[in-house]
Amino acid sequence: MPKRRPIYRVIFQSQAQTYEIYASEIYQSDLHGFIEVEEFLFDERSGVVVDPSEEKLKSEFSGVLRSYIPMHTVIRIDEVEKEGVGKITESGDKVRSNNVSPFPMPPTPSKD
């Protein structure tokens, strides 16, 4: 029985967006602090319905042979049974960052 090829789902954040991608090769890079992702898998279903986030993901990674993703941006890596639909979504951090204000500092004592 032939061994099935592993499929990995990688979820990471970049520029206030959360990426969910599928690939068949993933490993720790020789570049310290990065993982390498190769052989991207995109859903090749032929259908009338087009998912804009999946199309954006396909265009962003078109022509990319290998991607180096900083480890500190990785949220999760799963080995899955079958490929899902990759997507890009807005991170909650972007929404929260618009509501952040600096912490008030206590008044400094005057030197009299």
Side-chain angles (χ1 to χ4, degrees):
M1 187 160 108
K3 185 179 176 185
R4 71 174 183 89
R5 189 168 120 179
I7 299 172
Y8 300 99
R9 175 178 55 209
V10 181
I11 303 172
F12 65 97
Q13 289 184 327
S14 178
Q15 299 176 352
Q17 295 179 323
T18 302
Y19 288 71
E20 182 176 323
I21 59 174
Y22 291 84
S24 59
E25 294 287 330
I26 182 171
Y27 43 90
Q28 186 170 343
S29 175
D30 290 337
L31 294 172
H32 183 71
F34 289 83
I35 61 166
E36 290 184 42
V37 179
E38 295 179 348
E39 297 187 33
F40 296 96
L41 304 171
F42 295 106
D43 193 13
E44 299 298 328
R45 290 178 287 174
S46 60
V48 180
V49 179
V50 176
D51 183 1
S53 67
E54 183 182 18
E55 290 301 313
K56 183 178 176 183
L57 187 67
K58 280 183 184 180
S59 66
E60 186 165 336
F61 286 96
S62 69
V64 175
L65 301 176
R66 177 181 301 136
S67 187
Y68 297 88
I69 301 172
M71 282 189 197
H72 70 274
T73 65
V74 175
I75 298 170
R76 184 175 181 147
I77 300 172
D78 296 317
E79 183 174 354
V80 295
E81 290 184 10
K82 59 183 179 178
E83 173 188 343
V85 178
K87 58 189 167 196
I88 302 174
T89 56
E90 293 296 320
S91 295
D93 291 343
K94 183 176 183 181
V95 174
R96 279 185 247 128
S97 67
N98 293 336
N99 298 330
V100 174
S101 60
F103 193 75
M105 298 298 292
T108 55
S110 63
K111 294 184 179 184
D112 292 359

